Amino acid sequence: MVSPATAAPARSGIARIISASLIGTTIEWYDFFLYGSAAALVFNKLFFPSSEPLVGTLLAFLTYAIGFAARPLGGLVFGHYGDKIGRKKLLVLSLLMMGGATFAMGLLPTHATIGVGAPILLTLLRLIQGFALGGEWGGAVLLVSEHGDDKNRGFWASWPQAGAPGGNLLATGVLALLAAVQSDETFLAWGWRIPFLLSGVLVVIGLWIRVSVSESPLFLEAQAKAAEQAASGTGGDEKPPVVEVFRTNWRGVLTAIGTRLGENISYYVITAFLLVYVTTHLGLSKSDGLNAVLIGSAVHFVTIPAWGALSDRIGRRPVTLIGSLGMTGWAFAFFAMLDSKSFPAIAAAVTIGLLFHGAMYGPQAAFISEMFDTRVRYSGASMGSQLASIIGGALAPIIAVALLDDYDSSLPISIYLAAAALVTSATVLVARETRGRNLAGPYGAPVPVPGSRRAGADAELTSPGN
């Protein structure tokens, strides 16, 4: 008999969970990506004024990277308490922290007003953003993964992933609209503050939706089991979840890092560094870059769940390899199309690049969730994901800007991007396929092949209570 906690939920129930996770992640990614776009277009001028445009941009991207550096700490803290007291409470807290920091950025005085204090305050708020996002990703994808069934987990869990292009679409759209209706002088004077202040409204909407969802049934089941063991004295010496992760499943953490590396680096080169390359190197308007990202993000948002659904059919590894190997080649075609200075070519370069990225990103939530057991899943998924962000997305725009400054050519950046995608390909080739894993059972148990006659029997045998 299959436990109710692991039975497939009603479609209305999973739809509500997906909606809450998607809207929450979209708002938090809006806040996070808004900073990246502003670092390329505004902060370099208002908070890090310099006679050399690329130097000011590099300094702005350094504060951008600081947000990534705080993400593993956020993953550690949120993961620990998420595995102890629940996924839902921590998701509400992360949303409040992220939205509050972003709203405060819209009120900051600039370097011209208070001097060095301006970039210091900006950096502190960026640290809060990174800390909050470090706890957001793991909780959002786990809440969906642990409510959904084994057969369709790739599809269900890919929806919170779509929050990344959703947030980027929203942030870029607001900036593109302001750039279209305001002069550069007006935008720099006060127009850039509007998207940051808008975050306050979005947070209220996100909280209203997020507090209405139920806690993960697998977490509640694991919590009840731990309480029973503690009461009977059979629980043993319980270690903090993060310690348990690195003691028993450090390979899962390393696999998660390698799986994310090519995806993480490619995304920030395609969406954040693109704005620097188009405006500073090619001499085009910021609207060209923003509109290209806008078009690509719209396609990205729609196709991520499709890649997640495909991973339910053919596996997490094959779909991820489509993306990583495709990105290896596209790294060179991407800049060649940008150099044409043709907007249709630039938009196509971004869109195709994000299609390959989506193939890596769509299955990722299910793939990484399936690498860890319930009692340490929040910690393991968060640490693997956020450690990758330090060596991946945090450094990607900085390295790309530095390479462009040193070589005045896109070729070294293409090589860097292709090398990162190859690391992900190599990691996925040696990783274990996890499609169809019963999340209630121990990691390493036989994984049934979805669709086979034996799958249902295997799932029943490994479900709690059997």
Side-chain angles (χ1 to χ4, degrees):
M1 179 178 177
V2 179
S3 167
T6 58
R11 286 191 178 274
S12 60
I14 191 66
R16 185 168 61 251
I17 298 296
I18 289 173
S19 298
S21 293
L22 174 59
I23 292 171
T25 53
T26 296
I27 292 170
E28 296 215 31
W29 281 116
Y30 165 84
D31 293 342
F32 201 75
F33 289 141
L34 184 61
Y35 191 101
S37 297
L41 301 173
V42 177
F43 291 163
N44 55 337
K45 300 178 180 70
L46 298 180
F47 291 86
F48 304 95
S50 172
S51 58
E52 293 290 335
L54 281 179
V55 173
T57 301
L58 192 60
L59 290 172
F61 274 137
L62 282 172
T63 63
Y64 181 67
I66 284 175
F68 284 86
R71 283 167 64 173
L73 180 59
L76 178 66
V77 174
F78 277 80
H80 173 82
Y81 287 103
D83 284 326
K84 290 289 187 181
I85 64 176
R87 294 28 172 151
K88 177 181 171 179
K89 295 182 181 69
L90 275 297
L91 284 174
V92 170
L93 179 60
S94 70
L95 187 62
L96 283 171
M97 291 180 66
M98 175 67 86
T102 305
F103 183 83
M105 285 178 184
L107 302 174
L108 282 180
T110 64
H111 188 279
T113 305
I114 63 170
V116 71
I120 291 175
L121 290 173
L122 181 67
T123 302
L124 288 174
L125 291 174
R126 180 60 176 171
L127 283 169
I128 296 173
Q129 273 193 332
F131 183 84
L133 191 63
E136 161 70 20
W137 183 85
V141 300
L142 293 190
L143 199 63
V144 176
S145 295
E146 294 178 345
H147 272 88
D149 58 34
D150 301 339
K151 182 179 178 181
N152 299 301
R153 184 178 300 118
F155 175 67
W156 299 132
S158 68
W159 280 102
Q161 299 289 80
N168 205 8
L169 184 66
L170 188 59
T172 306
V174 173
L175 288 171
L177 177 62
L178 292 172
V181 301
Q182 292 182 327
S183 65
D184 288 344
E185 293 75 18
T186 302
F187 183 73
L188 283 174
W190 59 268
W192 68 271
R193 297 181 183 275
I194 295 174
F196 288 88
L197 298 176
L198 179 61
S199 177
V201 178
L202 297 177
V203 167
V204 173
I205 297 172
L207 284 175
W208 176 69
I209 294 171
R210 206 160 246 192
V211 297
S212 67
V213 301
S214 59
E215 181 57 87
S216 158
L218 289 184
F219 168 77
L220 294 175
E221 190 173 277
Q223 190 180 48
K225 183 177 180 181
E228 290 176 6
Q229 290 177 337
S232 63
T234 59
D237 183 19
E238 186 178 359
K239 296 179 174 59
V242 69
V243 174
E244 187 68 15
V245 164
F246 284 104
R247 187 178 72 85
T248 63
N249 202 358
W250 55 269
R251 288 183 180 85
V253 175
L254 291 179
T255 301
I257 292 173
T259 300
R260 285 215 69 197
L261 194 66
E263 168 268 309
N264 212 228
I265 288 175
S266 63
Y267 189 76
Y268 292 102
V269 168
I270 291 171
T271 60
F273 173 71
L274 166 86
L275 300 176
V276 177
Y277 191 82
V278 166
T279 56
T280 304
H281 186 68
L282 299 181
L284 302 176
S285 72
K286 60 178 176 289
S287 293
D288 288 326
L290 288 169
N291 288 331
V293 174
L294 200 63
I295 293 169
S297 294
V299 176
H300 200 207
F301 179 85
V302 174
T303 54
I304 281 178
W307 288 118
L310 183 61
S311 77
D312 286 326
R313 304 297 178 266
I314 67 175
R316 320 297 185 215
R317 296 168 68 244
V319 176
T320 304
L321 283 170
I322 291 172
S324 60
L325 293 175
M327 188 63 74
T328 302
W330 195 249
F332 299 91
F334 176 73
F335 285 101
M337 294 177 72
L338 297 186
D339 290 340
S340 71
K341 297 187 178 182
S342 163
F343 177 74
I346 294 171
V350 172
T351 301
I352 296 172
L354 290 178
L355 281 173
F356 285 126
H357 174 270
M360 292 184 278
Y361 197 56
Q364 191 180 96
F367 195 20
I368 294 178
S369 297
E370 290 161 346
M371 294 178 188
F372 303 96
D373 293 334
T374 301
R375 71 184 189 281
V376 297
R377 187 168 292 127
Y378 203 144
S379 297
S382 295
M383 290 307 299
S385 172
Q386 303 312 327
L387 286 173
S389 72
I390 291 185
I391 55 179
L395 298 179
I398 297 172
I399 291 174
V401 169
L403 289 173
L404 183 63
D405 193 30
D406 288 345
Y407 296 97
D408 195 33
S409 168
S410 63
L411 181 60
I413 307 170
S414 296
I415 294 172
Y416 164 60
L417 182 54
L422 285 174
V423 170
T424 290
S425 298
T427 302
V428 172
L429 282 171
V430 300
R432 173 185 296 169
E433 179 58 68
T434 60
R435 175 182 64 131
R437 187 205 158 183
N438 176 10
L439 289 185
Y443 180 71
V447 176
V449 178
S452 69
R453 287 185 300 172
R454 184 63 187 161
D458 288 344
E460 191 165 315
L461 285 171
T462 56
S463 65
N466 289 288

